[in-house]
Amino acid sequence: VPRRRGAGLGRPSSPGAPAEEEEAASMDWGAELWDQFDTIERHTQWGLDLMDKYVKFVKERTEIEQAYAKQLRNLVKKHLPKRTAREDPESKFCQYQAFLQVVRELNDFAGQREVVAENLLTRICVELAKYSQEFKQERKSHLQEGRRAQQQLENCFKQLENSKRKFERDCREAEKAMLTAEKLDQDINATKADVEKAKQQANLRSHMAEESKNEYASCLQKFNRSQSQFYFLEMPQIFSKLQEMDECRVRRLKEGYSIFSETEQQVVPIIGKCLEGMKAAADLVDEKNVGARQTSPCSHLLL
């Protein structure tokens, strides 16, 4: 009897119940998920979808940063004086000079938002999109290899089923021919030629049944070998490759998560200096001399 389970292709001598899909990431796929082709296919697709979703998320964040920086640039441009300090009498007031310094620091701040946007785009969106395409191609190749192996085993099983049906049919025909020969042999009205012909037909049918039996036994051995190779060699190797691919995808995604925060942390010192510059400009404003034109204490702000 062929070692085949249910309507699908089952592994002989199952060591236990199949694992749940959400546990796939913590298992040795080749050893523990041997009969979970659909589960692994769904899990790896979910992982790629998550990577694409994160790329989309970061891209939208990048667009927000770019729009924010552009608005800040426009704001700065709107409030920077068109005239030089010598032509603008208001520039001699320390509080006005402080205002201009705040505007200039905001311009530098906007530059850092542009840096964040650029780094997010190049280090996350571009890189992960590239890896995503590579993983999709690799996944497709492994799944196709698995489906080919499945199809070959299915074809082998169909060949086995056909040989089994032929063997059963030939057995029935041999039994029928033998009964006919025995019946004619006992019939006193039957001629010797008819009896001899019936015996020859019975022997022929018996020989055909024996050949069908041998063919069926050969197909059975071939199927059992193919099934063993499929579940203990071919599919474990394919699943191990898919697991290696998925683990690599997770590492790349992890790096992308880390870069998301690192990109912000890298501009924190410069943004801090921008804020310190704004605070320094504010500290030089003297409310006691609000109406005076003080050029010396704030002269460096005009640089």
Side-chain angles (χ1 to χ4, degrees):
V1 179
R3 298 194 298 270
R4 191 175 190 272
R5 184 179 61 194
L9 294 176
R11 187 183 192 181
S13 303
S14 171
E20 295 296 330
E21 181 178 352
E22 58 268 21
E23 297 175 347
S26 62
M27 293 184 169
D28 182 342
W29 295 5
E32 300 180 70
L33 300 182
W34 42 265
D35 63 345
Q36 297 294 302
F37 186 91
D38 293 340
T39 297
I40 292 177
E41 183 178 14
R42 288 194 301 271
H43 178 77
T44 52
Q45 182 60 55
W46 173 83
L48 291 172
D49 290 343
L50 177 61
M51 177 173 277
D52 290 341
K53 184 176 183 179
Y54 182 60
V55 170
K56 183 180 179 182
F57 164 76
V58 177
K59 186 177 180 181
E60 291 179 359
R61 161 76 190 279
T62 299
E63 292 172 352
I64 292 173
E65 290 288 354
Q66 290 172 337
Y68 179 40
K70 183 179 180 180
Q71 290 178 337
L72 291 178
R73 294 285 196 187
N74 290 337
L75 180 64
V76 169
K77 184 178 179 180
K78 178 180 178 181
H79 288 280
L80 281 178
K82 303 297 186 295
R83 295 177 294 178
T84 64
R86 292 181 179 180
E87 296 173 342
D88 188 358
E90 295 179 350
S91 64
K92 296 180 180 181
F93 290 98
C94 195
Q95 56 187 298
Y96 183 67
Q97 295 172 18
F99 165 69
L100 294 182
Q101 183 63 19
V102 169
V103 173
R104 294 188 187 98
E105 295 292 354
L106 184 63
N107 189 55
D108 293 341
F109 178 88
Q112 294 309 302
R113 302 325 306 173
E114 291 172 344
V115 170
V116 169
E118 182 179 358
N119 287 339
L120 289 176
L121 184 63
T122 57
R123 297 186 63 195
I124 297 180
C125 296
V126 174
E127 287 296 309
L128 289 188
K130 180 187 70 173
Y131 288 128
S132 178
Q133 289 303 314
E134 293 175 356
F135 291 141
K136 288 175 182 177
Q137 291 299 321
E138 183 179 354
R139 174 180 177 273
K140 180 180 179 181
S141 176
H142 294 325
L143 292 180
Q144 287 178 340
E145 184 180 358
R147 290 192 179 96
R148 281 195 298 268
Q150 283 184 329
Q151 188 60 50
Q152 290 173 358
L153 186 60
E154 286 287 357
N155 293 339
C156 188
F157 181 76
K158 289 178 181 178
Q159 185 179 6
L160 174 64
E161 288 289 286
N162 290 335
S163 66
K164 179 182 178 182
R165 285 192 293 268
K166 185 176 184 298
F167 169 56
E168 292 172 343
R169 183 175 63 252
D170 288 347
C171 285
R172 289 193 298 269
E173 293 295 329
E175 184 179 0
K176 181 180 178 181
M178 185 173 57
L179 292 175
T180 300
E182 291 176 353
K183 184 177 180 181
L184 286 175
D185 190 42
Q186 296 175 2
D187 188 353
I188 58 175
N189 296 322
T191 64
K192 184 177 180 180
D194 290 338
V195 173
E196 188 62 27
K197 182 178 180 181
K199 288 183 178 180
Q200 291 178 354
Q201 184 68 16
N203 290 334
L204 177 62
R205 290 294 182 181
S206 178
H207 179 70
M208 292 175 62
E210 186 64 24
E211 288 185 342
S212 296
K213 175 184 176 182
N214 293 334
E215 181 183 355
Y216 174 57
S218 176
C219 289
L220 178 58
Q221 291 178 354
K222 179 182 177 182
F223 174 76
N224 286 336
R225 286 195 302 269
S226 298
Q227 185 174 234
S228 178
Q229 182 177 1
F230 176 81
Y231 283 111
F232 293 102
L233 181 62
E234 294 177 339
M235 294 312 293
Q237 289 179 349
I238 293 171
F239 287 167
S240 293
K241 292 177 184 177
L242 283 168
Q243 184 171 18
E244 290 175 4
M245 179 212 73
D246 195 64
E247 289 174 351
C248 183
R249 176 198 60 79
V250 173
R251 286 195 297 271
R252 296 300 184 186
L253 188 58
K254 177 182 178 180
E255 291 173 1
Y257 292 159
S258 180
I259 291 172
F260 190 82
S261 61
E262 290 175 1
T263 300
E264 192 72 36
Q265 290 174 335
Q266 288 171 354
V267 300
V268 167
I270 301 178
I271 289 179
K273 290 182 179 179
C274 293
L275 299 178
E276 289 174 3
M278 295 179 186
K279 181 65 169 57
D283 290 342
L284 291 175
V285 176
D286 185 359
E287 67 274 12
K288 298 296 184 180
N289 299 298
V290 68
R293 295 185 177 184
Q294 300 175 353
T295 57
S296 54
C298 300
S299 58
H300 68 285
L301 296 178
L302 296 174
L303 299 178

